[in-house]
Amino acid sequence: GESVGLHLPTLSVQEGDNSIINCAYSNSASDYFIWYKQESGKGPQFIIDIRSNMDKRQGQRVTVLLNKTVKHLSLQIAATQPGDSAVYFCAENSLNYGGATNKLIFGTGTLLAVQP
Amino acid sequence: DGGITQSPKYLFRKEGQNVTLSCEQNLNHDAMYWYRQDPGQGLRLIYYSQIVNDFQKGDIAEGYSVSREKKESFPLTVTSAQKNPTAFYLCASSESVSTNEKLFFGSGTQLSVL
């Protein structure tokens, strides 16, 4: 069945270091992927997205890499700051739900803990 | 919160009671969604609505009901039939339900059982 999972449930990094959060997906038909950031007690915030016709996309201090061969997605955060501490979710768009309905399948999340 | 307002932030339900969670958006989005979040699990889709007066069941609709009488509003009722209602509930919206649309989320409602 479809699944989106994360390799590491918790990632601890030092302030100023780069962070890499990984995600594996199983549906090779998925063509759209999103990373969300969720702070404690709040709703997820959109960070960056990528379509399957790309293998890399950059935002402000963040980069998403997509490797369709091994169905792997990663989020890189440069110069990690204390404010980056949160749970990060990846999500894939499943095209097989109710026709053309946009259904996102979410991973369980990785907790990023930034140490000062 | 990206123009999506959920209320209340905390809600307590007594056994046998129905409770309603509010979700309002001012983004002029056609599509709205309700997700349930449990510790250690990914978000699970309860219901979604593509347009006013239309809604569809998601993966875990049993014990829940919704309405979409206005474009801006998509309230969720947790009925007494939902035996394990304690969770963090997230409302979201997108411009449409066509593929490749990112969701914008509200700040969530934590529902607990007394």
Side-chain angles (χ1 to χ4, degrees):
Chain A
E2 299 175 60
S3 69
V4 176
L6 296 172
H7 296 305
L8 298 173
T10 304
L11 178 64
S12 183
V13 299
Q14 291 295 124
E15 181 178 357
D17 287 351
N18 297 335
S19 302
I20 300 176
I21 302 171
N22 297 303
C23 177
Y25 64 95
S26 60
N27 188 353
S28 57
S30 293
D31 68 349
Y32 179 60
F33 305 87
I34 307 177
W35 280 100
Y36 284 94
K37 172 186 179 183
Q38 186 176 24
E39 297 176 37
S40 181
K42 298 184 179 179
Q45 295 175 278
F46 171 84
I47 301 174
I48 192 168
D49 58 2
I50 188 168
R51 302 187 190 282
S52 60
N53 60 352
M54 304 170 68
D55 53 18
K56 179 180 181 178
R57 191 170 187 209
Q58 290 185 293
Q60 187 177 16
R61 281 202 306 118
V62 295
T63 301
V64 56
L65 299 177
L66 176 63
N67 185 332
K68 294 180 287 294
T69 301
V70 295
K71 292 184 285 188
H72 184 267
L73 192 68
S74 69
L75 177 70
Q76 300 179 2
I77 305 174
T80 312
Q81 303 168 0
D84 294 327
S85 294
V87 175
Y88 290 81
F89 296 94
C90 65
E92 64 178 308
N93 179 287
S94 169
L95 305 180
N96 298 319
Y97 184 83
T101 304
N102 176 26
K103 180 191 178 186
L104 285 176
I105 299 173
F106 291 85
T108 55
T110 292
L111 173 62
L112 177 64
V114 182
Q115 308 300 324
Chain B
D1 295 327
I4 300 177
T5 301
Q6 289 187 240
S7 64
K9 188 166 180 63
Y10 300 97
L11 187 58
F12 297 90
R13 193 192 87 167
K14 296 180 181 178
E15 190 173 344
Q17 184 183 41
N18 293 351
V19 292
T20 297
L21 285 60
S22 171
C23 179
E24 302 280 330
Q25 55 100 359
N26 61 4
L27 300 170
N28 200 33
H29 285 171
D30 284 326
M32 298 187 74
Y33 312 78
W34 275 104
Y35 286 88
R36 171 179 171 139
Q37 184 174 36
D38 294 280
Q41 296 190 37
L43 303 183
R44 292 184 289 168
L45 182 64
I46 304 173
Y47 268 99
Y48 66 97
S49 169
Q50 302 183 60
I51 199 167
V52 174
N53 293 323
D54 172 79
F55 49 84
Q56 305 294 330
K57 292 182 178 180
D59 297 320
I60 55 166
E62 186 175 351
Y64 301 98
S65 66
V66 294
S67 63
R68 187 87 185 274
E69 297 177 2
K70 297 187 300 182
K71 186 175 185 177
E72 301 80 19
S73 180
F74 191 42
L76 173 74
T77 296
V78 183
T79 74
S80 57
Q82 172 49 246
K83 299 306 180 187
N84 184 25
T86 297
F88 191 54
Y89 290 86
L90 287 161
C91 179
S93 71
S94 64
E95 289 189 11
S96 73
V97 290
S98 63
T99 57
N100 302 336
E101 292 281 354
K102 54 179 172 279
L103 303 184
F104 295 87
F105 285 88
S107 57
T109 293
Q110 175 65 51
L111 175 62
S112 302
V113 177
L114 290 176

